[in-house]
Each structure stands twice: as C-alpha cells, then as structure tokens.
Amino acid sequence: MTNTTHNSRNLQPSQAVFPGDHLQRKSRIAFICGLTGLIVSIPVYAYATPLWLATSRLEGAAFSLAALGFGLLLVAGPLLAIGGLLTALFMRTESIFLKRSHASRGDRPLLALAALVTALPALLACYPPLKALSTGQIRYKFPATEVSQHFDPLGYWQGIAFWFMGATALGWLAFAFWRSRWRKHKALRQPG
C-alpha cells in the first residue's frame, strides 16, 4: 500500500510551492468573496424600497426576522464586497514582492491600483483645504459653521493647517507602506 498524500516536502524542486504563489491563490479566494458580496449587494440596494415595503407589512416575529435579514444584507453585502476586494488587491500585491514561480502580466496594473488605493485617503484629505483656499471659507462639521478668511482668519488658517496635517500623516503612512515593499523587492532581487 502506497501513501498518496502530497505535501510541499514531497514535491520536486520544479513543483515547489513558493510563498508568492500561495498568497496569489489566497487572493483569488478573497476576490471571489468580494465579488459575491458585490453581486448580493447590487440587487438588495436596487430593490431596497420594495423589499422594505414588503417587510414592513409583516407583524410580530416574522417582521423581526425579515427586518433582521434585510438589515444584515444591507450591511454585510457591502462590507464583504469592500473587504474582500481590498484584501484580494493587497494579498495579490504582496505576492508580487515574494518569491513566485513566474511573474504575471497583471502585476504592474495591480501595483498601480494598489498605489492609488493607498494614496487616495491623503489625496481626498487635500480637497477641503484646497477648496477653502479657492473660496476663502472653510466648513467645520462640529459645530456646523462656515469660517471665513475675512471674519476669522485664525480659525480659517487653523482649519486649513489641520486638514493638511491629516493629509500629510495619511501620505506618510502610504509612503512607509510602499517603502517597506520596495526594500523587500530589492532584497529579493539581490543574488545570494
């Protein structure tokens, strides 16, 4: 009787599973989960009003269960979509910086997309102060007030400075993430 189980120790060198290949497979699973969440979310949001109207006609325990299910679909679908797709993107990006059996044609576009996703919070945080510089007014959310450059210059410039400090902090986090990946990439490419 022969043992037919296979693991990475029994594989030949040409069949070895590299860490990058393993992470790439895991990213495909995360992508399928994210896509499933997206496919579930689209019809739920497209038909939210009729679904809620049908749910609101119920009474008692049936209403409670239907409302719970409807609420879970409204929350869980988008969370699964966003979480799965971002996890897939960054697992796939991380696999590029690990040893793999072969490179893929999609590596560069995925790296560009991942760089855009990491830089997006910093770029979005630049919008309010740039708008304030062009209009001469900045809006505070709590308390909800408009601060004008002419009537309260200290509050105006303080608001702009806080937004730019936040954008700088977010930009630094993105830079630190990509710098660590670049160092890993350089170490992987060095002979020895």
Side-chain angles (χ1 to χ4, degrees):
M1 188 179 273
T2 61
N3 187 359
T4 59
T5 60
H6 297 286
N7 60 31
S8 59
R9 288 178 281 187
N10 296 338
L11 296 175
Q12 300 299 324
S14 63
Q15 298 173 329
V17 178
F18 294 109
D21 295 334
H22 180 67
L23 205 54
Q24 198 169 357
R25 279 194 289 281
K26 287 174 70 174
S27 77
R28 286 188 193 116
I29 294 169
F31 180 75
I32 290 169
C33 289
L35 203 58
T36 303
L38 187 65
I39 290 170
V40 167
S41 297
I42 290 172
V44 168
Y45 277 90
Y47 298 106
T49 302
L51 286 171
W52 179 249
L53 289 175
T55 303
S56 65
R57 291 187 191 116
L58 300 173
E59 294 180 9
F63 171 77
S64 296
L65 289 174
L68 175 69
F70 182 64
L72 284 174
L73 284 174
L74 285 175
V75 172
L79 285 177
L80 182 64
I82 292 169
L85 294 174
L86 286 176
T87 301
L89 175 66
F90 284 101
M91 278 185 164
R92 180 69 170 83
T93 302
E94 187 69 24
S95 76
I96 294 169
F97 297 106
L98 296 174
K99 189 170 183 171
R100 299 184 296 168
S101 58
H102 65 284
S104 172
R105 289 188 331 210
D107 288 351
R108 289 185 187 211
L110 285 171
L111 280 174
L113 181 62
L116 178 66
V117 167
T118 54
L120 200 57
L123 294 173
L124 290 176
C126 288
Y127 174 73
L130 291 175
K131 181 181 176 189
L133 287 171
S134 68
T135 63
Q137 292 182 335
I138 191 163
R139 175 179 289 273
Y140 288 109
K141 298 247 184 211
F142 300 107
T145 55
E146 281 280 323
V147 177
S148 174
Q149 180 182 10
H150 301 293
F151 296 115
D152 187 7
L154 182 63
Y156 172 79
W157 288 108
Q158 186 179 30
I160 289 175
F162 281 143
W163 273 106
F164 279 133
M165 287 189 316
T168 303
L170 292 169
W172 171 254
L173 290 172
F175 171 75
F177 173 79
W178 288 106
R179 184 181 60 183
S180 69
R181 297 307 171 269
W182 177 250
R183 287 181 177 165
K184 189 184 280 189
H185 175 72
K186 279 178 40 178
L188 186 65
R189 297 290 179 234
Q190 288 179 349

